[in-house]
């Protein structure tokens, strides 16, 4: 268990923070969305359209299970839906230290309200979709996390520093 895992809603900055943290701490960066796409041989959007969301969720659980079996230390950015399954939340506890990057629905909407790569936001009213998903998910992200980092209004550099210094304290 020496991984650092970033969880949180789509658009909260997991990948951007993860890549920068990986430079800062000199650890490799992994992204469960990318690992799922490699495993499925298609993009997440294609998987949702051609095979349905349950197929993607099953792949996501396989990917995090494989990561739990690895012995090396990595910075891992997760897909926003990964911590929703109880089974995955349990696995996360074994995989490493988990940080929840908490953002408000307003911040999320500003960043990705018009994104076309995220199938869950391809709807008439992405703003209300973000708000309702956030309400459901925030308690689950909090339950899965060892630490919550509020990201609104902070630049990536300060978020990276905050996580790096917490890692020193917590390990
Ligand atoms: C999802 C988040 C996405 C991706 C998929 C589903 C979700 O990842 O896994 O579109 O359920 O929140 P990001 O959080 O990296 O956008």
């Amino acid at each position: 268990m020496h991984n650092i895992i970033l969880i949180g809603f789509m658009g909260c900055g997991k990948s951007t923070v993860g890549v920068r943290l990986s430079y800062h701490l000199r650890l490799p960066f992994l992204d469960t969305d990318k690992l799922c796409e490699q495993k499925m041989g298609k993009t997440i959007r294609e998987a949702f359209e051609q095979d349905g969301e349950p197929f993607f969720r099953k792949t996501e659980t396989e990917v995090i299970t494989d990561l739990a079996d690895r012995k090396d230390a990595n910075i891992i950015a997760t897909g926003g839906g990964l911590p929703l399954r109880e089974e995955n939340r349990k696995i996360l506890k074994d995989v490493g230290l988990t940080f929840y990057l908490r953002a408000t629905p307003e911040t999320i909407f500003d960043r990705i309200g018009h994104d076309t790569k995220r199938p869950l936001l391809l709807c008439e009213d992405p703003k209300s979709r973000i708000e309702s998903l956030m309400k459901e998910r925030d308690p689950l992200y909090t339950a899965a996390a060892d630490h919550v980092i509020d990201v609104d209004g902070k630049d990536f550099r300060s978020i990276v520093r905050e996580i790096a210094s917490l890692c020193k304290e917590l390990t």
Side-chain angles (χ1 to χ4, degrees), residues 66-83:
D66 289 348
L67 289 177
D69 289 339
R70 286 170 63 151
K71 299 276 173 277
D72 53 338
N74 298 285
I75 308 291
I76 303 172
T78 56
L82 187 139

Side-chain angles (χ1 to χ4, degrees), residues 11-71:
C12 69
K14 292 163 293 189
S15 302
T16 310
V17 169
V19 168
R20 291 175 183 224
L21 197 58
S22 105
Y23 282 114
H24 192 85
L25 297 176
R26 299 204 175 87
L27 288 173
F29 173 72
L30 297 173
D31 183 325
T32 63
D33 281 344
K34 294 268 152 46
L35 295 172
C36 285
E37 288 185 335
Q38 278 166 19
K39 202 172 167 104
M40 298 183 304
K42 54 181 85 175
T43 65
I44 291 173
R45 183 171 170 175
E46 284 164 350
F48 268 67
E49 284 167 3
Q50 296 165 12
D51 312 292
E53 184 174 347
F55 170 71
F56 169 67
R57 297 301 177 195
K58 186 172 152 280
T59 310
E60 222 175 17
T61 296
E62 288 165 6
V63 161
I64 195 71
T65 305
D66 289 348
L67 289 177
D69 289 339
R70 286 170 63 151
K71 299 276 173 277

